[in-house]
Amino acid sequence: MNILHDYSLLAHNTFGIDARCQTFVEYASTSGATELARLLEGKDEPLLIIGGGSNLLLTKDYDGVVIHSVIKGMEVVSETDDEVLLRVGSGEVWDDVVAACVAKGWHGAENLSLIPGEVGASAVQNIGAYGAEAADLIDRVEAVRLSDGESVVFMNADCQYGYRQSRFKHEWKNQYLVTYVTYRLKKHFEPKLDYGNIRVELERRGIAEPTAQELRQVIIDIRQEKLPDPQVEGNAGSFFMNPIVDREKYESLLGQYPQMPHYHIDEAHEKIPAGWLIDQCGWKGKSLGRAGVHSKQALVLVNRGGATGADIVRLCETVRQDVKRKFDIQIEPEVNII
């Protein structure tokens, strides 16, 4: 276990905000997480559990304890002719796991390629992209309970996964340290191609039936084309969740905007891309002070250089107000604002 005081979080958030924390702790094993839980027992300090910081906006210094997993390792714990159960340390980089799975012929994670962040966060946030979610793959989550240091195992259903949601984000917030996540992967490749412009890009490349590696590469290329490099412009990827509206609202909007993109959820609900709503409000490529909306993807807010967390929040709230005013839809941040 590594404990540091008055520590800069600049390297732990992709927005490039140089906030500091009172105490920074990293745990490298289940026993380390247990030791940390016992160390914190009885203390009344605020806690912030982070992954790679790719879904985090810091608005000020953190007067408390920031906790980060550096548990590594990937291990096959069960295998049949059809599937593999892969147990992964919560500190592993998510895209490294996707790359390893594709290389091994273990399928299901291809559409989640190049999503920034770490394995522990995939189980908390239920990361998703291009018609796939981590919840589609998660079999179980291992964690240490902070109240008593006990190791616990949650099956997928226990976590109550939803769109960018889980119990870890709500009633279980700051109650557990994730140590390992086990994913259920298929040996038979069943590509998901009907989301975004995946098929268009495959057709452009003359690929009718992509391999898993070809699909992964297309996803990577699309993301790199649309999303800014955090090393160049600080950002947290998609800043807002795509709103899900009822059928009546959807049909009303479709009557006004026949070309409006949308994704079917069920007979009563449709998902409308928040990026499209923001673009329709004229924000794509625009700035408010040192914070801006990315020129290629309006869903992404960026640090143009020297922006504070407060600058990003001001832009976020202004964009939300404009979307509400124009469409009467409330878009919600996906990013964790601290």
Side-chain angles (χ1 to χ4, degrees), residues 124-127 133 135 159-167:
V124 173
Q125 176 73 9
N126 187 19
I127 59 172
E133 293 181 329
C159 302
Q160 295 181 8
Y161 286 118
Y163 175 53
R164 305 295 181 272
Q165 301 296 330
S166 76
R167 296 177 79 181

Side-chain angles (χ1 to χ4, degrees), residues 247-260:
R247 175 66 48 183
E248 183 179 356
K249 179 67 175 179
Y250 158 70
E251 290 178 350
S252 172
L253 284 173
L254 195 63
Q256 299 175 65
Y257 305 95
Q259 303 306 314
M260 179 181 70

Side-chain angles (χ1 to χ4, degrees), residues 107 158 161 188 273 290:
H107 304 301
D158 298 327
Y161 286 118
H188 177 63
R290 293 167 291 181

Side-chain angles (χ1 to χ4, degrees), residues 76-294:
V76 174
V77 294
S78 176
E79 185 171 5
T80 68
D81 291 341
D82 299 318
E83 61 185 26
V84 167
L85 287 180
L86 182 68
R87 182 175 182 252
V88 186
S90 55
E92 287 282 359
V93 173
W94 168 254
D95 194 56
D96 290 349
V97 177
V98 179
C101 289
V102 171
K104 292 280 191 179
W106 304 333
H107 304 301
E110 296 83 7
N111 290 47
L112 304 177
S113 292
L114 210 65
I115 293 179
E118 297 173 355
V119 161
S122 78
V124 173
Q125 176 73 9
N126 187 19
I127 59 172
Y130 296 102
E133 293 181 329
D136 301 334
L137 306 173
I138 292 171
D139 180 75
R140 66 193 65 192
V141 179
E142 297 172 53
V144 166
R145 190 163 49 223
L146 276 168
S147 62
D148 57 12
E150 290 298 311
S151 293
V152 292
V153 178
F154 298 109
M155 303 306 292
N156 182 300
D158 298 327
C159 302
Q160 295 181 8
Y161 286 118
Y163 175 53
R164 305 295 181 272
Q165 301 296 330
S166 76
R167 296 177 79 181
F168 293 108
K169 291 185 68 175
H170 298 286
E171 67 262 41
W172 292 349
K173 187 175 182 178
N174 289 344
Q175 292 186 26
Y176 298 95
L177 300 177
V178 176
T179 52
Y180 290 90
V181 181
T182 298
Y183 302 99
R184 186 178 297 272
L185 301 150
K186 297 177 180 178
K187 291 186 175 180
H188 177 63
F189 182 46
E190 298 174 356
K192 293 183 177 181
L193 307 177
D194 295 322
Y195 203 98
N197 56 341
I198 295 175
R199 284 194 185 275
V200 171
E201 185 58 29
L202 286 169
E203 288 172 8
R204 191 184 70 80
R205 301 181 187 201
I207 301 172
E209 296 183 4
T211 65
Q213 184 58 56
E214 286 172 334
L215 177 56
R216 170 170 161 76
Q217 191 59 55
V218 162
I219 297 291
I220 289 172
D221 292 345
I222 291 172
R223 288 184 68 90
Q224 288 180 331
E225 172 64 24
K226 290 170 60 176
L227 302 176
D229 182 348
Q231 299 300 318
V232 178
E233 282 189 311
N235 71 92
S238 299
F239 195 93
F240 299 99
M241 293 185 282
N242 294 318
I244 295 173
V245 301
D246 62 34
R247 175 66 48 183
E248 183 179 356
K249 179 67 175 179
Y250 158 70
E251 290 178 350
S252 172
L253 284 173
L254 195 63
Q256 299 175 65
Y257 305 95
Q259 303 306 314
M260 179 181 70
H262 57 92
Y263 301 101
H264 184 70
I265 300 299
D266 54 40
E267 290 308 309
H269 300 90
E270 294 282 327
K271 183 190 294 183
I272 300 173
W276 181 84
L277 296 171
I278 296 165
D279 191 10
Q280 295 300 304
C281 292
W283 272 106
K284 184 185 281 188
K286 299 291 180 60
S287 294
L288 188 61
R290 293 167 291 181
V293 178
H294 187 46

